[in-house]
Amino acid sequence: MRSDQMKSGLEKAPHRALFKAMGYTDEEIRRPLIGIVNSANEIIPGHIHLNNIVKAVKTGVSMAGGTPVEFSTIGICDGIAMNHEGMKYSLPSRELIADSVEVMARAHPFDGLVLVPNCDKIVPGMLMAALRINIPAIVISGGPMLAGRYQGKDVDLITVFEGIGKVKANLISKEELTSLEECACPGCGSCAGMFTANSMNCLTEALGLGLPGNGTIPAVYAARIRLAKTTGMKIMKLVEKGICPRDIATMEAFKNALTVDMALGCSTNTILHVPAIAHEAGISLNLDLLNKISDKTPHLCQLSPAGDHHLQDLNEAGGVPAVMAELNKKGLINRNALTVTGKTVKDNLKNVKVQDHTVIRKSNNPYHPEGGIAILRGNLAPDGAVVKQSAVASEMMRNKGKARVFDAEEQAVKAILGGKIEPGDVIVIRYEGPKGGPGMREMLTPTSAIAGMGLDKDVALITDGRFSGGTRGAAIGHISPEAAEGGLIALVKEGDLIEIDIPAKKLTLQVDQATLNKRKASWKRPALKIKNGYAYRYAQQVTSASTGAVFKEE
């Protein structure tokens, strides 16, 4: 056993003494030691209940003959960190989480790991660590939040964000917004729509590193506790068979995950995280591959914010396995890929059927013939930009408008809520990329304000920052190269014409090259916005959004 390095033999008597100081018996020490990575805290609704999930996992490990050893890692709530300096630390936390799990698992050679995340950067951070360390590992998330109910309709966190714009547009009262605030998030779990957390939990399942149900069983269901116990038992089988994450997360498995991504209409943040996770497995996923997969994958689900369904509806319709079974009818799923069940995708999908075709459409009757996400290129984004095309109004799929330029998110939000943005404008928010932000802030506040004010069919927004999975509308992010690296977005001026052609995958600044050359000659690289601490170090080490915003290798 790998753990013998810290517990077996005469010279490890002091090590065993330290285990015994914590109450471990000789029998527990002799068993395989399973690290349980717990990201529970009291600042994230999706993590407030993770101690209960971990307790169930530990029960499962013990039942199967292992010894669970719990340790913790950090987590940031993107919703609470939104629209202030805190969001500069959200994406950077992914690297801290991956590093902390790696450090713990290398310093203490566990025989296997059970990773217990739930929300935005915690899930990819733990997956990156699992592939980097490459010992038997399995993920069990805390599960999605139930949708709230307000005036007879399902609501969620995004309803509240968009409510701010509705108040500003005099569409609802402040009192109505307060009532909505009271009921939109009814309890624990990752926010109820197909936002980043739930996107990543579903893709973990599609990738093969989480058991069926990992992405969709609601946090408050007893089935979530049973799944956690099963996960604890299953890690023991993976240890016994020596099945490691890189045996599962192959190129074919990543293609399966991206295919499911396109069918579900997942968050654009997956285009940061999935390549970063693949990078840890030594696999390169370029943006052109994503477009190829999107071009042939039907968009089968319309979940919030793009539609009215929520994760509980997807769960009742059969969840990720049912989506994969429907995609398999078109030959879009690699059925030979191995999963943490110890079986192949083909085995897992036996007898799986869609239970509700109003939630998971038939592959021959999709919402859209192409996947939910598209990669755009052009002189504004030669290295790529990302849009959730499934959440864009048809009238905004092709659009040309005048640039309204802002060098920070706060400036743009002030203009939007102040009524300074007009139909036909293209809002440009720059110096918010991985390096320029630093930390590539999510832009949920401005996009929600646009939608709440009823401008999402008239106004586009482009940025070198990124968007929440809760964003809808013609919101194009991840523009690369970013402004802080001298990308063309840094040279855009107020009133310039910008053409967006999502079907043609084009994003073009309509300014002649001679003018751009003059602007480039006078451009100066701005100083880093944060000059000390982790964010300062992050800005110096991080790579482009087009490569997953991973750290430089050297």
Side-chain angles (χ1 to χ4, degrees):
M1 290 187 291
R2 187 171 181 268
S3 60
D4 286 344
Q5 299 173 56
M6 62 177 172
K7 69 182 186 183
S8 295
L10 181 67
E11 70 279 10
K12 296 302 189 296
H15 304 61
R16 292 191 294 274
L18 290 169
F19 272 101
K20 289 177 180 179
M22 295 179 281
Y24 291 95
T25 65
D26 284 325
E27 173 60 27
E28 288 175 302
I29 296 169
R30 277 194 293 269
R31 292 179 174 189
L33 301 183
I34 307 299
I36 314 294
V37 191
N38 185 0
S39 55
N41 62 37
E42 296 182 353
I43 195 67
I44 312 178
H47 289 231
I48 192 73
H49 66 303
L50 289 189
N51 285 331
N52 292 331
I53 302 295
V54 166
K55 181 180 178 182
V57 169
K58 291 163 85 171
T59 297
V61 170
S62 297
M63 285 193 298
T67 297
V69 182
E70 180 183 342
F71 64 92
S72 61
T73 189
I74 63 165
I76 288 174
C77 179
D78 277 21
I80 295 173
M82 193 72 65
N83 194 230
H84 56 85
E85 187 184 50
M87 183 47 72
K88 293 178 184 287
Y89 292 86
S90 174
L91 180 60
S93 74
R94 186 188 72 182
E95 274 34 58
L96 275 178
I97 291 161
D99 288 352
S100 67
V101 175
E102 177 199 3
V103 165
M104 288 295 288
R106 292 203 193 279
H108 313 99
F110 298 110
D111 298 298
L113 291 174
V114 179
L115 305 147
V116 189
N118 208 27
C119 291
D120 296 51
K121 308 308 159 303
I122 302 93
V123 179
M126 288 196 185
L127 285 169
M128 289 165 69
L131 285 160
R132 187 185 302 172
I133 303 161
N134 201 37
I135 62 173
I138 186 170
V139 176
I140 169 67
S141 77
M145 186 185 293
L146 295 175
R149 294 286 290 175
Y150 179 67
Q151 295 181 346
K153 294 182 179 180
D154 285 350
V155 293
D156 55 41
L157 180 66
I158 303 309
T159 320
V160 185
F161 268 100
E162 293 185 359
I164 298 167
K166 289 183 177 181
V167 170
K168 289 288 184 179
N170 296 315
L171 298 175
I172 64 173
S173 67
K174 289 182 181 178
E175 291 73 23
E176 286 176 293
L177 180 60
T178 299
S179 297
L180 184 58
E181 174 188 326
E182 291 286 342
C183 63
C185 299
C188 65
S190 47
C191 298
M194 190 50 77
F195 315 140
T196 305
N198 291 325
S199 295
M200 290 309 305
N201 284 326
C202 287
L203 296 191
T204 298
E205 191 177 329
L207 186 58
L209 292 173
L211 292 176
N214 176 73
T216 60
I217 296 173
V220 295
Y221 283 14
R224 174 63 54 180
I225 297 298
R226 295 197 299 272
L227 187 70
K229 290 179 181 177
T230 303
T231 298
M233 292 186 281
K234 191 61 68 175
I235 186 61
M236 297 304 296
K237 290 291 185 182
L238 296 176
V239 169
E240 179 186 331
K241 295 179 179 179
I243 298 174
C244 295
R246 292 189 196 177
D247 299 322
I248 293 168
T250 61
M251 175 59 90
E252 294 306 321
F254 277 104
K255 288 180 179 178
N256 280 349
L258 289 170
T259 300
V260 171
D261 187 337
M262 301 307 164
L264 287 175
C266 287
S267 164
T268 52
N269 280 318
T270 61
I271 309 307
L272 279 175
H273 299 321
V274 176
I277 295 162
H279 175 76
E280 297 291 351
I283 295 171
S284 176
L285 295 180
N286 64 57
L287 297 183
D288 291 331
L289 173 64
L290 305 183
N291 262 351
K292 288 178 182 176
I293 291 174
S294 182
D295 286 346
K296 65 181 181 180
T297 304
H299 175 219
L300 303 180
C301 301
Q302 195 83 311
L303 283 81
S304 175
D308 295 329
H309 297 135
H310 291 83
L311 265 290
Q312 65 208 64
D313 304 310
L314 179 59
N315 186 64
E316 291 168 12
V320 173
V323 173
M324 295 181 77
E326 195 62 34
L327 292 168
N328 187 50
K329 292 177 181 179
K330 292 180 69 72
L332 297 174
I333 294 295
N334 186 293
R335 301 187 302 161
N336 296 320
L338 183 63
T339 74
V340 288
T341 64
K343 301 175 182 178
T344 64
V345 170
K346 178 182 178 180
D347 294 327
N348 292 344
L349 295 184
K350 278 183 181 176
N351 303 318
V352 171
K353 295 180 180 178
V354 175
Q355 300 301 314
D356 186 345
H357 278 295
T358 66
V359 178
I360 304 171
R361 286 200 173 181
K362 293 182 179 180
S363 57
N364 60 3
N365 181 37
Y367 285 99
H368 305 99
E370 295 181 358
I373 293 175
I375 307 300
L376 311 186
R377 293 187 189 270
N379 67 346
L380 251 180
D383 293 342
V386 182
V387 63
K388 184 190 267 194
Q389 61 181 349
S390 60
V392 178
S394 58
E395 47 266 72
M396 293 298 289
M397 294 295 282
R398 289 186 173 90
N399 178 50
K400 186 187 295 184
K402 290 190 295 186
R404 301 296 308 280
V405 183
F406 305 94
D407 287 346
E409 178 189 1
E410 290 85 353
Q411 296 174 11
V413 171
K414 185 178 179 180
I416 295 165
L417 294 179
K420 302 293 178 63
I421 301 299
E422 299 178 355
D425 286 346
V426 177
I427 299 168
V428 178
I429 306 178
R430 63 190 179 190
Y431 296 107
E432 291 285 6
K435 186 179 295 292
M440 203 180 184
R441 287 194 287 181
E442 286 187 347
M443 303 290 169
L444 181 58
T445 299
T447 58
S448 295
I450 290 167
M453 296 175 78
L455 293 171
D456 55 302
K457 295 181 180 180
D458 302 293
V459 171
L461 190 158
I462 69 173
T463 180
D464 54 7
R466 61 194 177 92
F467 296 112
S468 163
T471 288
R472 62 186 175 96
I476 300 166
H478 306 199
I479 288 180
S480 302
E482 62 173 292
E485 292 280 45
L488 194 64
I489 189 173
L491 307 182
V492 180
K493 290 193 173 182
E494 193 84 3
D496 285 349
L497 280 179
I498 293 174
E499 183 176 6
I500 299 166
D501 191 337
I502 295 173
K505 312 292 194 292
K506 290 289 186 182
L507 182 62
T508 308
L509 176 64
Q510 295 190 338
V511 175
D512 66 86
Q513 193 59 49
T515 301
L516 292 176
N517 290 341
K518 288 180 182 178
R519 293 181 187 178
K520 182 70 173 178
S522 61
W523 178 81
K524 293 182 180 180
R525 189 182 305 277
L528 292 175
K529 294 178 182 176
I530 297 178
K531 297 179 173 60
N532 56 48
Y534 179 62
Y536 174 73
R537 298 196 304 274
Y538 179 87
Q540 293 176 313
Q541 296 178 64
V542 70
T543 61
S544 169
S546 64
T547 55
V550 297
F551 278 169
K552 296 173 184 174
E553 292 292 343
E554 66 272 10

mmCIF file of all heavy atoms in Angstrom, residues 464-494:
data_model
loop_
_atom_site.group_PDB
_atom_site.id
_atom_site.type_symbol
_atom_site.label_atom_id
_atom_site.label_comp_id
_atom_site.label_asym_id
_atom_site.label_seq_id
_atom_site.Cartn_x
_atom_site.Cartn_y
_atom_site.Cartn_z
ATOM 1 N N ASP A 464 -12.564 40.880 -21.602
ATOM 2 C CA ASP A 464 -11.481 39.911 -21.409
ATOM 3 C C ASP A 464 -11.606 39.257 -20.038
ATOM 4 O O ASP A 464 -10.785 38.423 -19.662
ATOM 5 C CB ASP A 464 -10.102 40.558 -21.603
ATOM 6 C CG ASP A 464 -9.873 41.795 -20.751
ATOM 7 O OD1 ASP A 464 -10.726 42.114 -19.897
ATOM 8 O OD2 ASP A 464 -8.824 42.451 -20.932
ATOM 9 N N GLY A 465 -12.644 39.637 -19.307
ATOM 10 C CA GLY A 465 -13.007 38.929 -18.092
ATOM 11 C C GLY A 465 -13.883 37.737 -18.445
ATOM 12 O O GLY A 465 -13.858 37.241 -19.565
ATOM 13 N N ARG A 466 -14.690 37.297 -17.508
ATOM 14 C CA ARG A 466 -15.510 36.111 -17.746
ATOM 15 C C ARG A 466 -16.903 36.341 -17.185
ATOM 16 O O ARG A 466 -17.170 37.362 -16.550
ATOM 17 C CB ARG A 466 -14.860 34.868 -17.131
ATOM 18 C CG ARG A 466 -14.686 34.948 -15.630
ATOM 19 C CD ARG A 466 -13.750 33.861 -15.094
ATOM 20 N NE ARG A 466 -13.578 34.035 -13.648
ATOM 21 C CZ ARG A 466 -14.324 33.456 -12.728
ATOM 22 N NH1 ARG A 466 -15.292 32.630 -13.092
ATOM 23 N NH2 ARG A 466 -14.127 33.667 -11.455
ATOM 24 N N PHE A 467 -17.774 35.367 -17.417
ATOM 25 C CA PHE A 467 -19.160 35.482 -16.988
ATOM 26 C C PHE A 467 -19.531 34.338 -16.055
ATOM 27 O O PHE A 467 -19.001 33.235 -16.151
ATOM 28 C CB PHE A 467 -20.095 35.469 -18.195
ATOM 29 C CG PHE A 467 -19.889 36.638 -19.102
ATOM 30 C CD1 PHE A 467 -19.368 36.468 -20.369
ATOM 31 C CD2 PHE A 467 -20.187 37.920 -18.678
ATOM 32 C CE1 PHE A 467 -19.168 37.543 -21.210
ATOM 33 C CE2 PHE A 467 -19.986 39.007 -19.504
ATOM 34 C CZ PHE A 467 -19.467 38.825 -20.778
ATOM 35 N N SER A 468 -20.461 34.621 -15.189
ATOM 36 C CA SER A 468 -21.063 33.574 -14.368
ATOM 37 C C SER A 468 -21.848 32.624 -15.253
ATOM 38 O O SER A 468 -22.316 32.996 -16.338
ATOM 39 C CB SER A 468 -22.014 34.213 -13.353
ATOM 40 O OG SER A 468 -22.905 33.263 -12.813
ATOM 41 N N GLY A 469 -22.010 31.395 -14.791
ATOM 42 C CA GLY A 469 -22.903 30.479 -15.490
ATOM 43 C C GLY A 469 -24.324 30.986 -15.492
ATOM 44 O O GLY A 469 -25.166 30.516 -16.257
ATOM 45 N N GLY A 470 -24.619 31.978 -14.621
ATOM 46 C CA GLY A 470 -25.952 32.560 -14.565
ATOM 47 C C GLY A 470 -26.202 33.651 -15.586
ATOM 48 O O GLY A 470 -27.294 34.195 -15.661
ATOM 49 N N THR A 471 -25.189 33.955 -16.396
ATOM 50 C CA THR A 471 -25.334 35.007 -17.396
ATOM 51 C C THR A 471 -26.150 34.528 -18.589
ATOM 52 O O THR A 471 -26.016 33.393 -19.031
ATOM 53 C CB THR A 471 -23.943 35.470 -17.866
ATOM 54 O OG1 THR A 471 -23.325 36.214 -16.809
ATOM 55 C CG2 THR A 471 -24.026 36.350 -19.104
ATOM 56 N N ARG A 472 -26.996 35.413 -19.119
ATOM 57 C CA ARG A 472 -27.658 35.164 -20.398
ATOM 58 C C ARG A 472 -27.564 36.421 -21.241
ATOM 59 O O ARG A 472 -27.274 37.511 -20.746
ATOM 60 C CB ARG A 472 -29.111 34.732 -20.207
ATOM 61 C CG ARG A 472 -30.023 35.751 -19.539
ATOM 62 C CD ARG A 472 -31.396 35.149 -19.273
ATOM 63 N NE ARG A 472 -32.269 36.036 -18.523
ATOM 64 C CZ ARG A 472 -33.171 36.850 -19.070
ATOM 65 N NH1 ARG A 472 -33.294 36.905 -20.381
ATOM 66 N NH2 ARG A 472 -33.949 37.611 -18.319
ATOM 67 N N GLY A 473 -27.802 36.260 -22.537
ATOM 68 C CA GLY A 473 -27.695 37.387 -23.448
ATOM 69 C C GLY A 473 -26.420 37.311 -24.277
ATOM 70 O O GLY A 473 -25.636 36.371 -24.174
ATOM 71 N N ALA A 474 -26.214 38.336 -25.110
ATOM 72 C CA ALA A 474 -25.052 38.374 -26.004
ATOM 73 C C ALA A 474 -23.825 38.828 -25.225
ATOM 74 O O ALA A 474 -23.331 39.954 -25.378
ATOM 75 C CB ALA A 474 -25.324 39.299 -27.178
ATOM 76 N N ALA A 475 -23.373 37.957 -24.355
ATOM 77 C CA ALA A 475 -22.237 38.228 -23.473
ATOM 78 C C ALA A 475 -21.058 37.372 -23.926
ATOM 79 O O ALA A 475 -21.119 36.146 -23.854
ATOM 80 C CB ALA A 475 -22.618 37.915 -22.029
ATOM 81 N N ILE A 476 -20.007 38.029 -24.387
ATOM 82 C CA ILE A 476 -18.856 37.334 -24.955
ATOM 83 C C ILE A 476 -17.646 37.601 -24.069
ATOM 84 O O ILE A 476 -17.241 38.759 -23.884
ATOM 85 C CB ILE A 476 -18.584 37.807 -26.396
ATOM 86 C CG1 ILE A 476 -19.807 37.514 -27.277
ATOM 87 C CG2 ILE A 476 -17.334 37.145 -26.965
ATOM 88 C CD1 ILE A 476 -19.781 38.226 -28.608
ATOM 89 N N GLY A 477 -17.080 36.554 -23.508
ATOM 90 C CA GLY A 477 -15.971 36.703 -22.574
ATOM 91 C C GLY A 477 -14.710 35.993 -23.023
ATOM 92 O O GLY A 477 -14.627 35.448 -24.121
ATOM 93 N N HIS A 478 -13.708 36.028 -22.126
ATOM 94 C CA HIS A 478 -12.421 35.344 -22.335
ATOM 95 C C HIS A 478 -11.661 35.898 -23.543
ATOM 96 O O HIS A 478 -10.858 35.177 -24.143
ATOM 97 C CB HIS A 478 -12.603 33.839 -22.532
ATOM 98 C CG HIS A 478 -13.368 33.134 -21.470
ATOM 99 N ND1 HIS A 478 -13.306 31.765 -21.281
ATOM 100 C CD2 HIS A 478 -14.231 33.571 -20.530
ATOM 101 C CE1 HIS A 478 -14.094 31.405 -20.289
ATOM 102 N NE2 HIS A 478 -14.664 32.496 -19.813
ATOM 103 N N ILE A 479 -11.922 37.129 -23.967
ATOM 104 C CA ILE A 479 -11.250 37.655 -25.155
ATOM 105 C C ILE A 479 -9.741 37.583 -24.967
ATOM 106 O O ILE A 479 -9.191 38.113 -24.000
ATOM 107 C CB ILE A 479 -11.710 39.091 -25.449
ATOM 108 C CG1 ILE A 479 -13.153 39.062 -25.984
ATOM 109 C CG2 ILE A 479 -10.780 39.793 -26.434
ATOM 110 C CD1 ILE A 479 -13.736 40.401 -26.304
ATOM 111 N N SER A 480 -9.089 36.901 -25.896
ATOM 112 C CA SER A 480 -7.649 36.653 -25.799
ATOM 113 C C SER A 480 -6.968 37.035 -27.102
ATOM 114 O O SER A 480 -7.471 36.696 -28.180
ATOM 115 C CB SER A 480 -7.398 35.168 -25.498
ATOM 116 O OG SER A 480 -8.047 34.786 -24.298
ATOM 117 N N PRO A 481 -5.799 37.698 -27.026
ATOM 118 C CA PRO A 481 -5.098 38.130 -25.816
ATOM 119 C C PRO A 481 -5.886 39.224 -25.070
ATOM 120 O O PRO A 481 -6.615 40.006 -25.680
ATOM 121 C CB PRO A 481 -3.773 38.686 -26.348
ATOM 122 C CG PRO A 481 -3.648 38.168 -27.731
ATOM 123 C CD PRO A 481 -5.034 38.009 -28.244
ATOM 124 N N GLU A 482 -5.695 39.279 -23.762
ATOM 125 C CA GLU A 482 -6.396 40.257 -22.933
ATOM 126 C C GLU A 482 -5.750 41.635 -23.074
ATOM 127 O O GLU A 482 -4.634 41.798 -23.595
ATOM 128 C CB GLU A 482 -6.386 39.811 -21.477
ATOM 129 C CG GLU A 482 -4.994 39.679 -20.849
ATOM 130 C CD GLU A 482 -5.068 39.390 -19.353
ATOM 131 O OE1 GLU A 482 -5.505 40.288 -18.611
ATOM 132 O OE2 GLU A 482 -4.671 38.281 -18.939
ATOM 133 N N ALA A 483 -6.460 42.643 -22.581
ATOM 134 C CA ALA A 483 -5.989 44.030 -22.714
ATOM 135 C C ALA A 483 -4.642 44.239 -22.036
ATOM 136 O O ALA A 483 -3.769 44.934 -22.571
ATOM 137 C CB ALA A 483 -7.028 44.989 -22.133
ATOM 138 N N ALA A 484 -4.445 43.645 -20.864
ATOM 139 C CA ALA A 484 -3.200 43.845 -20.121
ATOM 140 C C ALA A 484 -1.991 43.269 -20.843
ATOM 141 O O ALA A 484 -0.853 43.633 -20.537
ATOM 142 C CB ALA A 484 -3.313 43.235 -18.725
ATOM 143 N N GLU A 485 -2.227 42.377 -21.805
ATOM 144 C CA GLU A 485 -1.140 41.816 -22.600
ATOM 145 C C GLU A 485 -1.024 42.501 -23.954
ATOM 146 O O GLU A 485 -0.322 42.033 -24.843
ATOM 147 C CB GLU A 485 -1.376 40.306 -22.796
ATOM 148 C CG GLU A 485 -1.250 39.484 -21.522
ATOM 149 C CD GLU A 485 0.186 39.183 -21.144
ATOM 150 O OE1 GLU A 485 1.021 40.108 -21.197
ATOM 151 O OE2 GLU A 485 0.479 38.034 -20.815
ATOM 152 N N GLY A 486 -1.733 43.616 -24.130
ATOM 153 C CA GLY A 486 -1.665 44.350 -25.385
ATOM 154 C C GLY A 486 -2.588 43.830 -26.461
ATOM 155 O O GLY A 486 -2.417 44.151 -27.645
ATOM 156 N N GLY A 487 -3.594 43.033 -26.075
ATOM 157 C CA GLY A 487 -4.572 42.542 -27.037
ATOM 158 C C GLY A 487 -5.344 43.697 -27.661
ATOM 159 O O GLY A 487 -5.423 44.799 -27.098
ATOM 160 N N LEU A 488 -5.956 43.449 -28.808
ATOM 161 C CA LEU A 488 -6.641 44.507 -29.544
ATOM 162 C C LEU A 488 -7.759 45.160 -28.736
ATOM 163 O O LEU A 488 -8.090 46.330 -28.947
ATOM 164 C CB LEU A 488 -7.199 43.942 -30.861
ATOM 165 C CG LEU A 488 -7.652 44.974 -31.900
ATOM 166 C CD1 LEU A 488 -6.483 45.808 -32.378
ATOM 167 C CD2 LEU A 488 -8.319 44.275 -33.083
ATOM 168 N N ILE A 489 -8.317 44.433 -27.789
ATOM 169 C CA ILE A 489 -9.383 45.011 -26.958
ATOM 170 C C ILE A 489 -8.881 46.249 -26.210
ATOM 171 O O ILE A 489 -9.649 47.148 -25.885
ATOM 172 C CB ILE A 489 -9.964 43.952 -25.988
ATOM 173 C CG1 ILE A 489 -11.220 44.496 -25.286
ATOM 174 C CG2 ILE A 489 -8.923 43.470 -24.992
ATOM 175 C CD1 ILE A 489 -11.945 43.467 -24.439
ATOM 176 N N ALA A 490 -7.556 46.326 -25.965
ATOM 177 C CA ALA A 490 -6.982 47.494 -25.290
ATOM 178 C C ALA A 490 -7.008 48.737 -26.175
ATOM 179 O O ALA A 490 -6.896 49.861 -25.680
ATOM 180 C CB ALA A 490 -5.540 47.201 -24.872
ATOM 181 N N LEU A 491 -7.164 48.559 -27.484
ATOM 182 C CA LEU A 491 -7.091 49.676 -28.426
ATOM 183 C C LEU A 491 -8.460 50.189 -28.862
ATOM 184 O O LEU A 491 -8.559 51.156 -29.619
ATOM 185 C CB LEU A 491 -6.290 49.255 -29.668
ATOM 186 C CG LEU A 491 -4.906 48.650 -29.417
ATOM 187 C CD1 LEU A 491 -4.225 48.347 -30.734
ATOM 188 C CD2 LEU A 491 -4.046 49.566 -28.556
ATOM 189 N N VAL A 492 -9.531 49.540 -28.396
ATOM 190 C CA VAL A 492 -10.883 49.970 -28.774
ATOM 191 C C VAL A 492 -11.174 51.339 -28.167
ATOM 192 O O VAL A 492 -10.848 51.613 -27.009
ATOM 193 C CB VAL A 492 -11.937 48.946 -28.291
ATOM 194 C CG1 VAL A 492 -13.338 49.402 -28.690
ATOM 195 C CG2 VAL A 492 -11.648 47.562 -28.858
ATOM 196 N N LYS A 493 -11.808 52.212 -28.954
ATOM 197 C CA LYS A 493 -12.191 53.531 -28.470
ATOM 198 C C LYS A 493 -13.702 53.719 -28.560
ATOM 199 O O LYS A 493 -14.386 53.039 -29.337
ATOM 200 C CB LYS A 493 -11.474 54.630 -29.268
ATOM 201 C CG LYS A 493 -9.974 54.700 -28.972
ATOM 202 C CD LYS A 493 -9.354 55.972 -29.519
ATOM 203 C CE LYS A 493 -7.900 56.102 -29.076
ATOM 204 N NZ LYS A 493 -7.274 57.356 -29.551
ATOM 205 N N GLU A 494 -14.203 54.615 -27.743
ATOM 206 C CA GLU A 494 -15.635 54.925 -27.709
ATOM 207 C C GLU A 494 -16.143 55.236 -29.116
ATOM 208 O O GLU A 494 -15.560 56.044 -29.852
ATOM 209 C CB GLU A 494 -15.867 56.131 -26.798
ATOM 210 C CG GLU A 494 -17.303 56.373 -26.424
ATOM 211 C CD GLU A 494 -17.777 55.530 -25.238
ATOM 212 O OE1 GLU A 494 -16.955 54.788 -24.661
ATOM 213 O OE2 GLU A 494 -18.969 55.626 -24.903
#
